[in-house]
Amino acid sequence: MEEYRAPKLIGKKTPMNCLVLPEQHYSAWVAMQRYNMSFGEYVGALIDRAEGRPNKLDGMHRETLPLEQARK
């Protein structure tokens, strides 16, 4: 296995160059619109979710309570 080499940073972030299938690209675009995120934010959130870390996708709707709880 190849040894990990840290990428060059642009500010505090690193570029990710990759190829995805057209269907995956469209699905990501739809999700980005729904969550009001950039592509980088969306991919980063998916990576965090896959690693079991807190992420923007799972935390998007935590500020609102289900209707039953809000009435109590």
Side-chain angles (χ1 to χ4, degrees):
M1 190 164 147
E2 187 176 325
E3 189 173 321
Y4 177 75
R5 291 179 291 156
K8 292 182 180 179
L9 296 177
I10 298 174
K12 292 184 178 184
K13 297 183 179 186
T14 181
M16 285 185 65
N17 298 325
C18 62
L19 299 174
V20 296
L21 297 172
E23 299 84 17
Q24 293 169 322
H25 187 273
Y26 178 73
S27 294
W29 180 84
V30 169
M32 291 163 35
Q33 301 301 307
R34 179 175 50 239
Y35 294 117
N36 194 29
M37 296 177 150
S38 70
F39 186 76
E41 289 173 317
Y42 182 66
V43 170
L46 290 175
I47 292 168
D48 286 341
R49 177 189 272 177
E51 294 295 314
R53 294 189 291 253
N55 62 79
K56 290 184 177 182
L57 293 174
D58 293 338
M60 293 295 286
H61 305 291
R62 288 192 180 157
E63 297 159 2
T64 60
L65 292 173
L67 194 53
E68 305 83 50
Q69 290 181 347
R71 291 182 181 160
K72 291 181 180 181

